[in-house]
Amino acid sequence: MGTAVTHAPAMEDLAKGSEPRHGPVKPARPAELKRRGRRENLAGYLFMSPWIAGFLLLTAGPMAASLYFAFTDYNLFDAPRWIGLDNFSEMFGDPRWRHSVQVTLWYVVVGTPIKLIAALGVALLLAQKRRGQAFYRAAFYAPSLIGASVSVAIVWKAIFSDDAVVDRTQQLFGIDAGGWTGDPDLIIYSLVALTVWQFGAPMVIFLAGLKQVPRELYEAADVDGAGKLRQFWNITLPMISPVLFFNVLLETIHSFQIFSSAYIVGGGAGGNACGPADGTMVYTCYLYVQGFENSRMGLASAMAWMLLVAVALVTAVLFWSQKRWVHYEEGGR
Amino acid sequence: MQQGGNVERRTILKAAGASLAVAGLGATATACGGGSGSGDGTVTIRYSWWGAEDRAERINKTIALFEKKYPKIKVKTDFQPYTDFWKKFNTQASGGNPPDVFQNAIGFLRKYDAKNVLLDLSAQVEAGNLSMEGFRAGLEKFGEIDGKLLGVPVGSNSMALVIDKPVFTRAGVKPEQGWTWDDFDEAMTKIRDRTGRAGDSGMYGVMYLYDLYLRQNGKAFFTKDGLGFSEADLTQWWTKAEKGVKSGLFADPKKVAQIKPKSALSAELAGSEFTWDNFTVRYTSEGKSEYGLAPIPTTDGEKTGQYLGSLMLSGYKRTEHPKEVAQFIDFMVHDPEVAKIMGYDRGVPTTQAQYDAYRPTDPVNKAIAAYEESLVEAGVLETITPHPNGADICEAAFLRIAEEMALGERSVGDAVKQFFSESKTALAG
């Protein structure tokens, strides 16, 4: 049949003729159109140039440099010396590095779920209509606004240090354990408490997710005689699973990158860099110690790239796993 | 309308271009800002040091004095606590923008000399901008390495045992020059048994004390390019420490870690603590008791292994104003008024002129002066052993690993192995 052959050119003509236009603009000749397009592009790039320059200078450049340093011995003063994969093999052979990996993994595995459970729990409470709702939402959200700041970490340190509020409260109950921040075994719990306290951001996202769950589902469940717990497991959780996935992903990545709170609560200025007996020696803390205290920028760069790879892997696993537990509504309702 | 749009766009583009140009100029201006010196011959030098607020007040007063005497030199200061100081310094130095003159210590001389950061001041001495005369007890040699003058000492100090006087009296212990480590152990036991307090706050992590112990036994912590002791030596030192912790002779390490930054001595966890003699001031302000200085225990009843340690002033090798840097250092170590302002804050003044200018009247500083004089009289002072490149990292590792060992996180054997492996890396760099 010949129709199929003639069909395509016809479509082309049709497309050319009915080019969409906005407003009563006179059709321009192709050359002029091209010129104007180029001018417009140029203007666009010019307006973007601060961002592009910033990206190249402050992000792409340093990243490329850091990737190069990862394969060199670089002490900040002498020119970097290419040593291939030596930094990486040294890293794996270093017990202190393995300790920092352990501390970080523990922090991620313990801290993140508690934080998310707290966020979801409070979101469930705040999703119901009650008096003063706006106030409670703001009050619970506030810590995550200020939580990342150094000053909060300092306050936290003051709360958990020896003979401070927490210690004295413990003493009231006859527990004389001393301050948490000076105890190599307890200090990490104060960090977990700090991150859990900042559950506001995931809470707000959960709240938005909870609002999206159709009421009819609960009504139907009520009619069928399902209890509250049952409704939570079978309706709420599946319905908010995309939001849950988003929060798990974000908070996990966030936990891997913990630095300032560990560094400051753990000691910071003066003395041990990251807690007594390396109690809060999380990965980025050790990276900082190697880079800035021991002047081993090459090794620190290698560690940074290792962290990037690890976080990418964890993210990939999470994305792969979402097929099994995240439910997206298909085709709309 | 179309044309108007074009004009508008052009204006915006121009504005954007102009602002970019301004930003560019701004960048150039900041880049030049690091340099100093203006038309009238006034130069600005940057001076940075570690310490706290009270030292800052004193130093600012000395600088005001300096600027009055040298109106053509302005001094900009910057200070941080000890560890932060070196982080900032490293970053600045690697960017080619370190301070012109800065506080320094023996552990860093070889390190920064190897990295080409330190100014050799001997040329300035020859030019007459800096005098190296009038120093006490051979201190003028203190900052010399391989024939280069890399630092000028501003204050000398020595290791001492700070004691809680009433506790020692109650225990019936009276430390005297020449007492031995056996006497010391006996004293610790008496204090524990009679006052219910640990004898010492845990000296096993004090690198400078271990150095004295090694020197008493014909070794030293450092040689010119490495460690001057063996794994067996350190095993012996830390095994004794572990026993002391377990038997309550030394303060509970967990408690000591918890009360930081307060010291175990002023927190009444221990009856004594080894430290630099000029740190004594701290205990009086921190604690409630009366504190005194006792001599370092010996091995043979004579030799303490002690030497004078010191804070120094060093210059940056590529400073634009080496002459002014030298004049500044000269003023700070020789001018009698400076000594009256600084007191023993950085240790006992190193030049005779400054030493004579400040006679302490308060009991704490009087005790420091008496202690240093007793060292000179006893004739126990020796010369310091060299500190290799990487010594600072070794010291930090020593302190940390000793604490881990004391807290029971590591066995002695494991701790010793870890320290030697970390030092090997640090000293190789």
Side-chain angles (χ1 to χ4, degrees):
Chain A
M1 290 240 266
T3 43
V5 183
T6 53
H7 189 68
M11 283 289 282
E12 221 165 61
D13 282 332
L14 190 73
K16 235 184 236 166
S18 63
E19 192 182 339
R21 303 209 181 280
H22 305 286
V25 181
K26 234 178 12 172
R29 273 169 290 132
E32 193 190 324
L33 197 74
K34 232 183 195 170
R35 198 145 41 89
R36 195 160 54 165
R38 218 181 290 140
R39 255 204 329 238
E40 265 170 18
N41 280 349
L42 187 70
Y45 283 124
L46 239 159
F47 277 109
M48 275 163 70
S49 61
W51 185 87
I52 293 175
F55 172 76
L56 289 178
L57 280 172
L58 302 175
T59 307
M63 273 183 81
S66 145
L67 184 59
Y68 167 67
F69 289 148
F71 299 97
T72 63
D73 181 13
Y74 179 44
N75 65 10
L76 282 174
F77 293 90
D78 305 316
R81 191 169 53 87
W82 186 266
I83 52 168
L85 290 171
D86 283 7
N87 281 330
F88 292 91
S89 58
E90 186 189 333
M91 210 189 300
F92 290 116
D94 177 4
R96 221 175 159 202
W97 181 81
R98 291 199 296 265
H99 172 75
S100 77
V101 170
Q102 268 174 19
V103 172
T104 313
L105 284 178
W106 188 92
Y107 175 82
V108 171
V109 168
V110 174
T112 315
I114 301 180
K115 184 177 187 176
L116 289 174
I117 290 168
L120 181 56
V122 176
L124 283 169
L125 289 176
L126 292 184
Q128 294 155 26
K129 278 218 159 61
R130 59 183 68 213
R131 232 191 313 173
Q133 196 189 35
F135 168 76
Y136 288 120
R137 283 183 190 173
F140 281 115
Y141 184 64
S144 39
L145 282 179
I146 54 168
S149 72
V150 167
S151 53
V152 168
I154 292 174
V155 171
W156 210 256
K157 189 176 180 180
I159 292 175
F160 282 94
S161 66
D162 195 59
D163 214 22
V165 185
V166 173
D167 187 23
R168 290 192 182 186
T169 314
Q170 280 175 170
Q171 283 169 15
L172 283 183
F173 294 97
I175 309 163
D176 189 16
W180 294 24
T181 51
D183 190 316
D185 301 322
L186 286 180
I187 186 167
I188 191 80
Y189 290 98
S190 67
L191 283 193
V192 169
L194 180 56
T195 181
V196 171
W197 179 64
Q198 297 161 19
F199 64 68
M203 180 197 75
V204 167
I205 297 168
F206 276 134
L207 263 175
L210 288 171
K211 292 272 173 207
Q212 297 296 313
V213 183
R215 298 289 110 197
E216 305 95 274
L217 293 179
Y218 293 109
E219 283 157 19
D222 265 336
V223 171
D224 287 344
K228 284 281 172 214
L229 206 62
R230 186 77 196 231
Q231 290 183 9
F232 175 75
W233 278 114
N234 289 1
I235 301 172
T236 313
L237 265 191
M239 289 306 284
I240 64 161
S241 57
V243 173
L244 184 62
F245 173 70
F246 176 78
N247 271 338
V248 167
L249 193 69
L250 226 61
E251 291 304 323
T252 307
I253 294 174
H254 196 66
S255 295
F256 268 107
Q257 296 168 336
I258 177 190
F259 173 73
S260 53
S261 56
Y263 184 70
I264 290 171
V265 176
N272 278 9
C274 296
D278 287 352
T280 55
M281 180 63 96
V282 292
Y283 195 86
T284 49
C285 237
Y286 192 40
L287 194 159
Y288 179 83
V289 167
Q290 288 286 23
F292 290 92
E293 279 178 18
N294 299 352
S295 307
R296 304 197 59 198
M297 278 298 160
L299 184 61
S301 296
M303 286 178 66
W305 281 90
M306 205 60 221
L307 179 65
L308 183 85
V309 169
V311 171
L313 272 178
V314 170
T315 311
V317 168
L318 281 174
F319 264 101
W320 168 81
S321 79
Q322 69 164 332
K323 271 181 263 158
R324 290 156 193 272
W325 60 277
V326 180
H327 304 279
Y328 294 102
E329 272 183 280
E330 277 168 53
R333 283 171 12 89
Chain B
M1 259 331 277
Q2 208 183 343
Q3 217 173 1
N6 267 340
V7 169
E8 243 173 65
R9 192 187 299 142
R10 214 171 289 143
T11 326
I12 294 170
L13 285 182
K14 259 189 207 158
S19 59
L20 273 180
V22 169
L25 279 177
T28 334
T30 13
C32 297
S36 45
S38 54
D40 62 346
T42 303
V43 299
T44 303
I45 55 173
R46 283 160 55 220
Y47 171 35
S48 69
W49 44 273
W50 67 83
E53 284 293 337
D54 56 330
R55 184 176 289 176
E57 274 170 34
R58 292 168 197 266
I59 283 187
N60 284 340
K61 277 188 209 158
T62 62
I63 286 171
L65 214 59
F66 174 76
E67 288 181 337
K68 216 160 130 195
K69 196 171 171 199
Y70 294 88
K72 297 261 177 211
I73 308 175
K74 292 266 164 286
V75 183
K76 256 168 66 181
T77 61
D78 183 19
F79 72 96
Q80 279 87 33
Y82 180 73
T83 44
D84 295 329
F85 174 87
W86 289 110
K87 281 171 206 161
K88 184 164 180 184
F89 183 84
N90 276 338
T91 317
Q92 285 180 328
S94 62
N97 190 32
D100 298 288
V101 55
F102 53 95
Q103 192 167 307
N104 203 351
I106 185 82
F108 299 93
L109 281 188
R110 264 176 214 280
K111 173 177 182 165
Y112 289 112
D113 183 37
K115 296 182 194 322
N116 272 319
V117 175
L118 301 180
L119 177 69
D120 182 358
L121 288 159
S122 33
Q124 294 299 324
V125 175
E126 275 163 38
N129 295 322
L130 170 64
S131 157
M132 287 308 284
E133 266 150 45
F135 281 83
R136 297 187 301 123
L139 277 163
E140 75 276 7
K141 295 273 172 221
F142 202 84
E144 270 187 28
I145 286 207
D146 307 333
K148 286 180 279 189
L149 181 61
L150 301 178
V152 180
V154 284
S156 72
N157 42 43
S158 188
M159 285 301 283
L161 178 65
V162 182
I163 61 169
D164 188 323
K165 273 188 179 168
V167 169
F168 268 63
T169 314
R170 250 185 294 153
V173 180
K174 203 167 181 307
E176 273 161 1
Q177 192 78 43
W179 66 330
T180 63
W181 285 103
D182 290 337
D183 297 334
F184 175 76
D185 293 343
E186 206 181 300
M188 296 296 105
T189 316
K190 276 186 187 163
I191 292 170
R192 181 196 61 187
D193 296 345
R194 294 183 187 170
T195 69
R197 197 186 286 187
D200 184 85
S201 65
M203 80 305 199
Y204 36 81
V206 185
M207 184 194 92
Y208 283 97
L209 179 74
Y210 184 47
D211 185 30
L212 296 189
Y213 179 77
L214 289 168
R215 287 162 63 102
Q216 291 172 7
N217 291 287
K219 293 171 186 167
F221 200 99
F222 290 119
T223 63
K224 221 176 108 187
D225 43 25
L227 296 177
F229 60 100
S230 67
E231 293 195 20
D233 291 326
L234 186 56
T235 307
Q236 185 211 357
W237 178 255
W238 276 348
T239 305
K240 206 178 152 191
E242 194 186 37
K243 271 190 208 144
V245 168
K246 282 197 179 129
S247 58
L249 290 183
F250 300 147
D252 177 5
K254 200 165 154 183
K255 247 348 226 182
V256 175
Q258 278 177 330
I259 51 125
K260 270 181 190 168
K262 213 175 171 187
S263 76
L265 179 60
S266 51
E268 308 193 346
L269 295 174
S272 64
E273 185 159 294
F274 285 98
T275 187
W276 293 104
D277 55 4
N278 66 320
F279 287 178
T280 321
V281 185
R282 150 188 192 187
Y283 299 95
T284 314
S285 60
E286 250 180 30
K288 292 192 280 279
S289 192
E290 192 191 335
Y291 304 97
L293 291 163
I296 300 292
T298 62
T299 300
D300 61 2
E302 280 174 38
K303 239 172 80 152
T304 59
Q306 269 168 295
Y307 45 82
L308 289 180
S310 176
L311 288 182
M312 288 177 270
L313 291 179
S314 292
Y316 172 49
K317 190 167 198 167
R318 283 183 284 276
T319 175
E320 287 167 37
H321 313 292
K323 183 181 158 210
E324 285 79 4
V325 163
Q327 287 172 327
F328 178 78
I329 295 176
D330 185 76
F331 178 82
M332 287 299 166
V333 296
H334 291 294
D335 193 283
E337 290 301 312
V338 170
K340 284 182 195 160
I341 295 168
M342 293 306 297
Y344 287 173
D345 181 79
R346 288 180 299 201
V348 178
T350 47
T351 52
Q352 195 62 42
Q354 288 200 339
Y355 182 77
D356 293 338
Y358 174 73
R359 288 291 176 192
T361 48
D362 62 301
V364 181
N365 281 313
K366 262 187 177 163
I368 298 172
Y371 180 72
E372 292 235 345
E373 262 158 34
S374 78
L375 290 182
V376 176
E377 274 165 31
V380 292
L381 286 178
E382 302 172 14
T383 51
I384 193 166
T385 42
H387 282 50
N389 178 10
D392 56 323
I393 299 174
C394 285
E395 182 180 359
F398 191 78
L399 184 64
R400 191 189 79 247
I401 294 168
E403 185 180 51
E404 289 175 359
M405 183 271 304
L407 284 164
E409 309 252 321
R410 285 180 192 280
S411 67
V412 170
D414 186 25
V416 171
K417 263 208 337 242
Q418 180 67 17
F419 173 74
F420 271 82
S421 117
E422 282 188 33
S423 314
K424 217 175 114 195
T425 319
L427 295 169

